[in-house]
Amino acid sequence: MQRKRTLAQQDMLVGFALILPSFLIILGISLQPILTTLYLSLFEVPRGINLQNTFIGLGNYISLLSEPIFWSSIGRTFYFTVISVGIELVLGLAIAQLIHAHPPGWQFLRTSLIIPWAVPTIVNGTMWRWIYNADYGALNGLLFQLGLIDKYIPWLTKPDVAMNLVILADIWHSVPFIALILQAALATLPADLEEAAAVDGATYFQYFWFIRLPLLRPAILVALIIRTVEAFRAFDIIYVITNGGPANGTVTISYLTYLEMFTFGHAGRGSALSFLISLVTLTLAFIYIRMLYRPEEKQ
Amino acid sequence: MKSIRSMLFALIAIVLIASIVGCQPKQAAGPATIRVLTMEQAGPTVDEMNAIVAEFNEANPDIKVEIEYVAYDALHDKITTAMASNPPAYDVFLADDIWYAEFAKSGYVLDVTDRISKDTHDKIFAAAWDITTVSGKAYGMPWLLDEMYFFYNEDLLKQAGFDTPPATWEELIAQAKVMKEKGIVEYPMVWSWGQYEAAICDWVVLLYGNGGSLVDDKGAPAFNNETGVKTLNWMVQTIDDGYTNPASVSYVEEDVRNVFSQGKAAFAVNWNYMYDLVNFNTEESQVTGKIKMSLIPAFEGSGVKSASINGSMGFSVAATSANPDAAWKYVEFLTSESIQNKYSAHLLPMWSTSFEGENLTKLQGYTPANAVTVPMFNEQFPFAHVRPKVPYYPEASKSLQLALQEALTKQKTPEQALNDAAAKWVELAK
């Protein structure tokens, strides 16, 4: 029996056909690996050619969740994420406003901002490892020349200091990203709002807090989603600057995953960790997206 | 709605099939390309390795060798990742002594026992064959016959009023004390105690130099006894007293070389390659001509004269390589006696025949460094110790690295840290 499709159904078919190619690609490069990871995480996977995997159910998850190193890594990951993204947001907003005010040389500032962002993370990490070197690094050289220290400080030899220095390197790399997004958003804000606020006698702070910041909210949220997810998965910068040391002081959850997966050859445990990371980042993205779309629904 | 759902399932099926089909190996045409993975660290320079590749490619037009370099600390993980694909991303790789047990168990390295002639076998040091041999089978050619050596800056020693290098660590501390008092050098010693394998190497030198050992006869951990604690305490104490550069806790061998090359340390323990680079490379060293080597000191009352670590490596063919014969040909060329003699400035040949009679005189003359490093090798090598050959070595090593770091950064006492690591070793052996 032939049934005639309604116009809406035809539209839907065309729409489906149009998204089909990108949908296929997303399935292939994103969903399939995640499903494979989930599958592998339920097995004990010995490393080697032609070896059999053993199904152990949630065994990998249970043993990981019972290990102190898992929880200390999670703690360090949250510390890394909150501190680095927090400072990046404040600095990024300040720089965006500075550029927006068009001081002399603002175009130069905007262009040079791209440089730290354009440097690959691994190169950035290598550069900071040199900067932090206690005996021939630029940081000690600078502080010594300025007379702020009277002897060189071995920067990367204390776990908490090393963590904060890795965060500093990450901030240097990522602030420009947030600054550029916010600067672009600022440029689209209507100028008449500022004039109206000035006519009504609003102070700059009032204007910033009650008008500019709420209008920037969607842009801030986009920057936050991307940066939080990135920071949560931070690996390469740590690998290069500290290799997880000193005394595991910079072992984040991604670094732990790398150790389990590649160094120790526990593909099952590594997959379980990867899947947990995916869950957390998906949750974060979900929360942000809900927050992001709320104002539009109200309109 | 139902049709959309079934289409979705069909899509997923297509993607899965496509991904399986896409994984089928492809056979390359033309000259066989052999991809080689090696390291740029503590051994021959990249220029030297590239020159060997160029020589081989010229002599073998049917084979094209492509070589890649990584840092030592990335090498193990890069190999195991490369071996996950079929054919593997590399046909030939450099493997460390401590990985052979794991690689042989995993089936990553080609069994080459039958490819090695009796003549070749007899002309190479037995200690070198031990590196690539697991359960009586040879899994590669030994290469980089190396151990750690003791280096001192003679200039700084003379300024402090000493004519001879220290024979014991106690004597070294006494000399370091004078150097500090006279303001000659702020931190007389620099070590590679970062959270890397390098820390284990330094620890073996000190532990065995104190009469201790990593494992006992049965392979059980033996480093968490009184000797181990005493040795680790000594390390912590030298940082507290300012005899060891405190940045050592974040350093690897290259950092040690850089600090030593600036004349900012009087004593260091490092691999063979450092001698040539600090003494003859004016671009990278400010102390050329001032560096001497002597037997690594030991602790007084330990009954030990000296202790070093055997840091030798080997070149192996990937078991799943598409061109095992061509790959083996390159390994044979790279490890041949003539190539090893020619490029001996930063690594010594593992051919025992290179150290005999006329050949020894020749070997000492190949490069300016060899005149010193070759006799020093003969003197130090009898004291070189090997790390345990176990399939779980990377994980065992990481736990011991952590223990050393926890003690050095005062997160735990040496005793507690070493006990925790020993417990981990016992658990891994189960």
Side-chain angles (χ1 to χ4, degrees), chain A residues 114-127:
Chain A
I114 300 173
I115 296 171
W117 176 245
V119 171
T121 326
I122 203 98
V123 176
N124 181 46
T126 310
M127 185 183 82

Side-chain angles (χ1 to χ4, degrees), chain B residues 279-423:
Chain B
N279 241 357
F280 298 104
N281 192 325
T282 46
E283 275 174 30
E284 295 191 15
S285 171
Q286 296 165 22
V287 293
T288 46
K290 294 172 181 164
I291 305 308
K292 292 263 157 69
M293 293 164 100
S294 68
L295 213 53
I296 297 181
F299 286 95
E300 267 169 26
S302 63
V304 176
K305 190 183 173 197
S306 176
S308 182
I309 175 159
N310 186 337
S312 302
M313 301 177 83
F315 261 102
S316 288
V317 175
T320 46
S321 164
N323 296 300
D325 296 329
W328 177 247
K329 202 168 176 186
Y330 175 69
V331 171
E332 278 190 311
F333 179 80
L334 176 66
T335 55
S336 64
E337 196 172 357
S338 60
I339 288 291
Q340 288 231 304
N341 286 339
K342 188 171 168 187
Y343 296 93
S344 52
H346 305 129
L347 91 162
L348 293 176
M350 75 291 164
W351 297 81
S352 55
T353 41
S354 296
F355 291 82
E356 287 162 9
E358 254 181 60
N359 288 345
L360 179 64
T361 327
K362 272 194 207 158
L363 181 63
Q364 296 191 15
Y366 280 125
T367 78
N370 285 20
V372 173
T373 55
V374 171
M376 199 60 228
F377 168 80
N378 280 328
E379 204 184 329
Q380 184 72 68
F381 200 65
F383 300 101
H385 297 272
V386 292
R387 286 156 285 174
K389 248 191 168 148
V390 286
Y392 52 84
Y393 185 82
E395 204 168 354
S397 168
K398 267 279 170 248
S399 71
L400 187 52
Q401 290 170 31
L402 177 63
L404 300 177
Q405 288 258 306
E406 283 172 337
L408 291 170
T409 57
K410 312 230 164 141
Q411 315 278 305
K412 285 183 186 170
T413 64
E415 191 173 10
Q416 193 194 347
L418 290 176
N419 279 337
D420 290 351

Side-chain angles (χ1 to χ4, degrees), chain B residues 152-275:
Chain B
Y152 65 95
N153 186 320
E154 196 183 31
D155 202 36
L156 299 180
L157 240 68
K158 282 204 173 128
Q159 285 179 41
F162 298 103
D163 294 330
T164 50
T168 65
W169 293 113
E170 284 80 2
E171 201 182 322
L172 182 142
I173 294 295
Q175 294 188 354
K177 200 167 174 228
V178 175
M179 285 181 189
K180 270 188 87 80
E181 279 165 7
K182 291 192 178 172
I184 294 166
V185 56
E186 190 177 5
Y187 303 116
M189 286 189 284
V190 59
W191 293 89
S192 50
W193 292 346
Q195 193 164 332
Y196 302 85
E197 186 62 30
I200 304 295
C201 297
D202 281 1
W203 164 247
V204 165
V205 165
L206 291 168
L207 179 69
Y208 283 77
N210 209 356
S213 66
L214 283 179
V215 288
D216 62 18
D217 301 340
K218 289 173 193 144
F223 52 76
N224 57 330
N225 58 10
E226 201 193 327
T227 312
V229 173
K230 229 165 61 188
T231 311
L232 187 47
N233 257 325
W234 181 87
M235 292 163 73
V236 176
Q237 194 64 42
T238 59
I239 292 182
D240 288 351
D241 295 342
Y243 297 135
T244 287
N245 188 324
S248 298
V249 179
S250 62
Y251 279 174
V252 289
E253 296 97 330
E254 278 295 81
D255 300 304
V256 168
R257 178 169 78 85
N258 288 333
V259 171
F260 199 72
S261 297
Q262 293 180 331
K264 287 174 103 181
F267 308 107
V269 168
N270 207 336
W271 308 98
N272 181 358
Y273 83 114
M274 180 156 110
Y275 184 76

Side-chain angles (χ1 to χ4, degrees), chain A residues 189-241:
Chain A
L189 295 188
D192 45 1
L193 282 176
E194 194 167 353
E195 286 160 17
V199 170
D200 288 346
T203 62
Y204 177 79
F205 176 78
Q206 284 172 325
Y207 168 72
F208 172 76
W209 192 255
F210 294 110
I211 299 175
R212 187 176 271 182
L213 209 52
L215 287 172
L216 279 180
R217 198 165 103 148
I220 289 176
L221 280 168
V222 167
L224 270 184
I225 294 176
I226 297 176
R227 277 300 306 146
T228 312
V229 169
E230 267 183 6
F232 196 84
R233 295 175 308 165
F235 165 75
D236 35 10
I237 198 162
I238 295 164
Y239 180 77
V240 174
I241 298 181

Side-chain angles (χ1 to χ4, degrees), chain A residues 12 16 20 23-24 27-28 32 47-49 129 133-136 151-152 154 156-157 159 239 242-248 258-259 262-264 266, chain B residues 4 8 11 15-16 73-74 76-77 80-81 102 106-108 186-187 195-196 245-247 250-251 255 258-259 262 264 394-395 398 402 405 409 411:
Chain A
M12 203 170 73
F16 194 75
L20 185 67
F23 185 70
L24 273 177
L27 270 187
Q32 197 261 343
R47 179 146 76 189
I49 310 282
R129 185 178 159 87
N133 185 290
D135 288 287
Y136 43 87
K151 66 196 270 186
Y152 284 3
L156 296 172
T157 60
Y239 180 77
T242 64
N243 200 31
N248 276 359
Y258 172 82
L259 280 181
F262 295 99
T263 307
F264 304 161
H266 303 154
Chain B
I4 289 175
L8 258 173
L11 269 176
V15 169
L16 290 179
D73 287 283
H76 171 272
D77 302 346
T80 54
T81 314
E102 179 195 356
S106 301
Y108 288 168
E186 190 177 5
Y187 303 116
Q195 193 164 332
Y196 302 85
N245 188 324
S250 62
Y251 279 174
D255 300 304
N258 288 333
V259 171
Q262 293 180 331
K264 287 174 103 181
E395 204 168 354
K398 267 279 170 248
L402 177 63
Q405 288 258 306
T409 57
Q411 315 278 305

